Amino acid sequence: MKENLKDILSNLNTEVDQATLLLYLQGKLSDEKQHEVEKQLLETEFEQEAFEGLQEFRDSKKLQSMVAQLNEDLKKKTSKRRLRRQKMELKQEPWLWITVFIMLALIIISYIIIRTSLND
């Protein structure tokens, strides 16, 4: 899985990177740059709601720690799912397929023999 998909803020808008968004929320961007960021973030309803939620954080240190914590939690959860999927995968080994084929052949042959002996 791509690492950039694991960053919680990077999926808001491809044109606004996480660092720019954090600078905006801290009020460290110029007015022109702030207007540009707002314009880009208010294009869709999802981005509007996410942006409004991020603006509710008043303490920038709290915001940065929350983003870091969310990113870490997201990475943990995605790695757990990936490991679980890898464990559940059936490894395709040749001896397994040969065994299945032989078992099916024996079952079919046994059925034919039993069927013919009962008919006689």
Side-chain angles (χ1 to χ4, degrees):
M1 189 175 289
K2 292 182 179 180
E3 287 298 317
N4 64 350
L5 293 178
K6 294 180 183 177
D7 287 333
I8 198 77
L9 294 179
S10 66
N11 292 323
L12 288 178
N13 191 316
T14 56
E15 297 176 13
V16 179
D17 62 349
Q18 184 173 339
T20 306
L21 184 59
L22 288 173
L23 287 173
Y24 172 82
L25 293 171
Q26 293 171 357
K28 295 181 179 179
L29 292 178
S30 65
D31 291 339
E32 182 180 307
K33 187 69 175 172
Q34 283 182 351
H35 180 67
E36 185 179 319
V37 169
E38 289 172 355
K39 183 179 172 185
Q40 291 173 350
L41 287 176
L42 298 178
E43 290 178 355
T44 65
E45 187 176 330
F46 174 75
E47 291 172 347
Q48 289 175 359
E49 290 182 20
F51 184 65
E52 289 171 5
L54 287 172
Q55 283 181 326
E56 290 181 14
F57 282 96
R58 298 292 178 217
D59 188 11
S60 64
K61 291 181 182 179
K62 198 179 217 183
L63 176 65
Q64 289 175 344
S65 66
M66 182 64 74
V67 169
Q69 182 182 3
L70 287 171
N71 283 334
E72 188 174 328
D73 289 345
L74 186 60
K75 287 177 184 177
K76 284 180 184 178
K77 286 182 181 182
T78 55
S79 67
K80 284 180 183 178
R81 287 181 183 161
R82 185 179 65 237
L83 289 174
R84 191 175 341 138
R85 273 193 218 123
Q86 287 175 349
K87 286 180 183 178
M88 291 179 65
E89 281 182 10
L90 181 62
K91 298 195 174 30
Q92 296 184 4
E93 301 198 21
W95 64 267
L96 180 65
W97 289 108
I98 292 170
T99 305
V100 169
F101 179 73
I102 291 172
M103 292 297 291
L104 285 174
L106 288 174
I107 291 171
I108 292 171
I109 291 171
S110 300
Y111 175 76
I112 292 171
I113 291 173
I114 293 172
R115 185 81 173 162
T116 55
S117 67
L118 288 176
N119 286 340
D120 291 340

